[in-house]
């Protein structure tokens, strides 16, 4: 079974589980029902996605090159202006163009070096994710967006119907995708409920709703083609006409309607990005921009506003005012950096979503221990030992963001007894050398 079909099968199972809680399951055509492969499957006219090209020369450099080429081609037929002023002006223009080209090239090289050189002052180099549906790679979210789009367009020709549902959800803004899906669902429901009414079997492509909510949404036209629509001209006007014979092989309208409703964004799994730190390395607490909900410019502006407010109003704050200020600060962060210090001075570090639970931290620590059955406690310097009652609370709830250090301890034992004990797996200790 392909990854696309596995995605929809899993989604359908999740939806079925929720329905079982409230009542019986409705009738429907299984998305993973076996179908005969088609040898004469219609080819897609959709242009394959092309990754962005490298930065080209600036307009000024292009103009200078074009001018030089024109001079070479016409030097035998054009009368050259031999006046001293004209020669000086021409030389100045050419030197200016060459200087501009050198500056642009140097700027490109500097940008490339800056992008590839890690910032050693950061506690970690960013927030990374996995996407099991596509590959085992660990990449930043912005890189996954490109890879997901490339992957989906590669699958489009072989599984147009199901893949186009995912393209709608993953290659457009959330608002555009939601409006498009609502409209497409209406089109299909009208045909299913009124198969004999001609008005539901065609769509005028100049229609305002179609133009605004469907036509320019990535994946929408591919879905309609897979659902049985094809474009024709009637009285010099473009229409999409539906025919049962044009539905993609192995699909039917109830199945496609189900796919539209179950499709969603391809989820990414947050990579813990576990690091093992020496005490000297644990002093780095500067977080990369990926940890923030806002851009660096917005964060600086927010801090400036807060500083000016404090300077202009040196007044005592009530408890409610302090809580509101704290909530405002906490909402700036999307991820948290959690460090756990062991009695021998070694730290382990992992990345968490601010809404993940305390139990997730315990699971990470346990997975790093050479003895995974060992009982242990984690102690917060501000609130003391994290108890069983805290396990279902989030890092946000306990204010353990944007970064926190927790102390590893053994129940009913003094940590000084373990000052020379290594609790971590040997393979993890090798990570110290890579920092």
């Amino acid at each position: 079974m392909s990854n696309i079909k596995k995605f929809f099968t899993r989604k359908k199972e999740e939806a079925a589980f929720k329905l079982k809680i409230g009542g019986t399951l409705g009738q429907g055509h299984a998305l993973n029902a076996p179908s005969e492969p088609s040898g004469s499957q219609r080819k897609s006219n959709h242009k394959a996605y092309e990754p962005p090209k490298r930065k080209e020369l600036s307009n000024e450099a292009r103009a200078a090159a074009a001018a030089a080429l024109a001079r070479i081609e016409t030097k035998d037929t054009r009368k050259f202006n031999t006046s001293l002023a004209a020669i000086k002006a021409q030389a100045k223009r050419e030197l200016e163009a060459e200087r501009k080209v050198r500056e642009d090239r140097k700027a490109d090289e500097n940008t490339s070096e800056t992008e590839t050189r890690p910032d050693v002052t950061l506690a970690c180099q960013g927030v990374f994710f996995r996407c099991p549906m596509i590959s085992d790679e660990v990449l930043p979210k912005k890189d996954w967006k490109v890879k997901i789009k490339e992957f989906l367009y590669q699958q489009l020709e072989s599984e147009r119907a199901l893949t186009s549902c995912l393209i709608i959800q993953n290659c457009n803004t959330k608002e555009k995708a939601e409006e498009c899906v609502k409209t497409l669902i209406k089109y299909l429901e009208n045909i299913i409920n009124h198969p004999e009414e001609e008005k539901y079997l065609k769509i005028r492509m100049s229609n305002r709703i179609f133009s605004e909510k469907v036509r320019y949404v990535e994946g929408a036209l591919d879905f309609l083609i897979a659902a049985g629509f094809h474009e024709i001209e009637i009285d010099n006007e473009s229409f999409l006409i539906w025919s049962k014979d044009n539905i993609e092989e192995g699909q039917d309208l109830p199945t496609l309607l189900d796919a539209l409703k179950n499709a969603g964004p391809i989820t990414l799994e947050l990579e813990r990005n576990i690091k093992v730190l020496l005490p000297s390395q644990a002093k780095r607490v500067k977080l990369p921009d990926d940890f923030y909900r806002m851009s660096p410019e917005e964060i600086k502006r927010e801090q400036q506003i807060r500083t000016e407010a404090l300077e202009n109003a040196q007044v005592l704050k009530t408890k409610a005012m302090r809580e509101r200020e704290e909530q405002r600060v906490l909402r700036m962060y999307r991820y948290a950096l959690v460090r756990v210090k062991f009695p021998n001075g070694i730290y382990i570090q992992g990345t968490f979503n601010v809404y993940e639970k305390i139990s997730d931290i315990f699971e990470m620590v346990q997975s790093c221990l050479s003895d995974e059955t060992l009982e242990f406690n984690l102690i917060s310097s501000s609130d003391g030992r994290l108890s069983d009652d805290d396990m279902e609370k989030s890092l946000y709830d306990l204010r353990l963001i944007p970064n926190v250090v927790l102390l590893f301890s053994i129940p009913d034992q003094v940590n000084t007894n373990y000052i020379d004990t290594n609790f971590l797996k040997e393979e993890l200790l090798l990570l110290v050398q890579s920092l």
Side-chain angles (χ1 to χ4, degrees):
M1 188 184 295
S2 71
N3 288 340
I4 299 292
K5 288 183 179 176
K6 286 180 182 178
F7 176 90
F8 281 98
T9 300
R10 187 171 64 253
K11 282 285 186 180
K12 194 166 186 180
E13 288 172 354
E14 291 172 358
F17 177 76
K18 294 177 182 177
L19 285 173
K20 281 181 181 179
I21 298 174
T24 59
L25 288 172
Q27 296 294 323
H29 183 88
L31 286 173
N32 59 347
S35 60
E36 295 180 3
S38 171
S40 59
Q41 202 169 29
R42 293 176 299 278
K43 293 186 177 180
S44 170
N45 292 325
H46 192 100
K47 186 179 179 181
Y49 170 75
E50 297 180 0
K53 296 181 180 179
R54 295 173 61 90
K55 183 178 177 183
E56 299 180 353
L57 291 176
S58 63
N59 292 334
E60 291 84 356
R62 284 179 177 277
L69 183 61
R71 286 195 303 276
I72 293 172
E73 293 175 346
T74 59
K75 63 182 180 180
D76 295 329
T77 58
R78 180 170 60 88
K79 195 177 284 187
F80 186 70
N81 189 342
T82 56
S83 70
L84 183 60
I87 294 173
K88 285 184 176 181
Q90 181 64 27
K92 185 177 180 181
R93 284 194 296 271
E94 293 183 7
L95 288 174
E96 182 66 22
E98 290 176 3
R99 184 185 64 80
K100 183 65 176 175
V101 170
R102 287 197 300 271
E103 287 180 353
D104 288 344
R105 188 179 295 119
K106 188 174 181 181
D108 291 341
E109 291 173 356
N110 291 339
T111 301
S112 177
E113 290 176 4
T114 303
E115 290 174 351
T116 57
R117 189 188 303 126
D119 186 349
V120 295
T121 64
L122 295 175
C124 64
Q125 294 303 315
V127 179
F128 301 91
F129 298 85
R130 292 181 183 272
C131 187
M133 179 179 176
I134 297 177
S135 72
D136 294 328
E137 293 177 279
V138 177
L139 301 168
K141 183 176 287 187
K142 63 180 181 180
D143 292 346
W144 272 122
K145 287 183 178 180
V146 176
K147 273 196 167 291
I148 288 172
K149 187 170 185 176
E150 290 176 346
F151 169 78
L152 291 176
Y153 275 108
Q154 288 168 3
Q155 309 301 313
L156 191 60
E157 186 169 348
S158 59
E159 293 180 279
R160 174 178 270 181
L162 300 183
T163 304
S164 59
C165 293
L166 292 179
I167 291 176
I168 293 171
Q169 294 287 351
N170 290 274
C171 301
N172 300 285
T173 63
K174 183 179 178 181
E175 294 75 15
K176 285 178 68 175
E178 288 178 350
E179 290 298 319
C180 177
V181 168
K182 287 180 184 178
T183 307
L184 293 176
I185 287 175
K186 191 66 176 176
Y187 289 155
L188 266 59
E189 286 179 341
N190 284 338
I191 297 174
I192 293 172
N193 297 329
H194 311 281
E196 304 300 326
E197 294 194 32
E198 185 180 347
K199 65 178 181 179
Y200 295 127
L201 306 183
K202 65 180 180 180
I203 303 170
R204 183 188 294 109
M205 299 187 73
S206 61
N207 177 271
R208 181 181 61 82
I209 293 177
F210 178 80
S211 297
E212 291 178 357
K213 299 184 178 182
V214 176
R215 187 169 189 172
Y216 303 106
V217 176
E218 287 195 61
L221 290 179
D222 288 296
F223 177 82
L224 288 172
I225 292 171
F229 286 89
H230 65 282
E231 183 178 348
I232 65 171
E233 280 199 7
I234 302 175
D235 297 331
N236 296 323
E237 190 170 6
S238 296
F239 284 83
L240 289 174
I241 305 297
W242 181 82
S243 170
K244 186 177 181 179
D245 297 333
N246 290 330
I247 298 177
E248 186 178 72
E249 185 78 18
Q251 303 293 345
D252 56 32
L253 291 188
T255 301
L256 298 180
L257 188 61
D258 199 23
L260 269 180
K261 295 177 179 178
N262 282 296
I266 294 175
T267 56
L268 301 177
E269 295 179 2
L270 179 64
E271 167 66 20
R272 290 286 178 238
N273 195 23
I274 294 176
K275 304 290 183 186
V276 181
L277 310 175
L278 298 173
S280 59
Q281 295 170 322
K283 293 178 181 178
R284 304 173 190 165
V285 293
K286 182 181 176 183
L287 298 176
D289 296 340
D290 294 348
F291 275 69
Y292 297 90
R293 294 185 185 277
M294 300 185 290
S295 66
E297 293 75 19
E298 290 173 324
I299 293 170
K300 290 178 182 178
R301 188 161 58 249
E302 181 80 14
Q303 291 173 338
Q304 184 178 0
I305 292 172
R306 194 178 304 121
T307 302
E308 292 174 355
L310 288 174
E311 292 174 351
N312 296 334
Q314 294 294 334
V315 294
L316 294 175
K317 292 185 178 181
T318 64
K319 182 180 179 180
M321 292 171 64
R322 290 195 300 272
E323 289 178 351
R324 283 197 298 270
E325 181 70 18
E326 184 183 19
Q327 292 284 346
R328 187 179 179 186
V329 173
L330 292 175
R331 282 195 293 269
M332 291 170 55
Y333 300 97
R334 182 180 284 111
Y335 303 101
L337 194 73
V338 176
R339 288 173 172 171
V340 177
K341 183 180 180 182
F342 288 84
N344 62 357
I346 295 291
Y347 293 77
I348 59 171
Q349 170 182 293
T351 304
F352 291 79
N353 187 290
V354 295
Y355 298 113
E356 288 194 75
K357 298 176 181 178
I358 300 302
S359 59
D360 294 320
I361 301 178
F362 275 80
E363 287 180 9
M364 181 199 75
V365 175
Q366 192 172 40
S367 69
C368 296
L369 299 179
S370 56
D371 179 7
E372 293 190 12
T373 63
L374 181 68
E375 293 187 12
F376 61 91
N377 294 325
L378 295 179
I379 301 172
S380 169
S381 57
S382 57
D383 299 324
R385 185 174 72 87
L386 297 175
S387 65
D388 292 339
D389 295 335
D390 296 324
M391 292 298 105
E392 294 304 307
K393 295 179 181 177
S394 69
L395 279 73
Y396 183 92
D397 294 334
L398 296 181
R399 307 295 189 263
L400 300 181
I401 55 178
N403 55 277
V404 65
V405 175
L406 302 174
L407 304 179
F408 178 95
S409 68
I410 304 299
D412 304 322
Q413 297 291 331
V414 181
N415 277 350
T416 53
N417 297 336
Y418 297 95
I419 196 166
D420 295 324
T421 303
N422 172 48
F423 292 94
L424 299 177
K425 295 175 180 176
E426 292 185 4
E427 57 265 29
L428 285 175
L429 294 177
L430 299 176
L431 298 176
V432 175
Q433 302 175 3
S434 65
L435 293 176

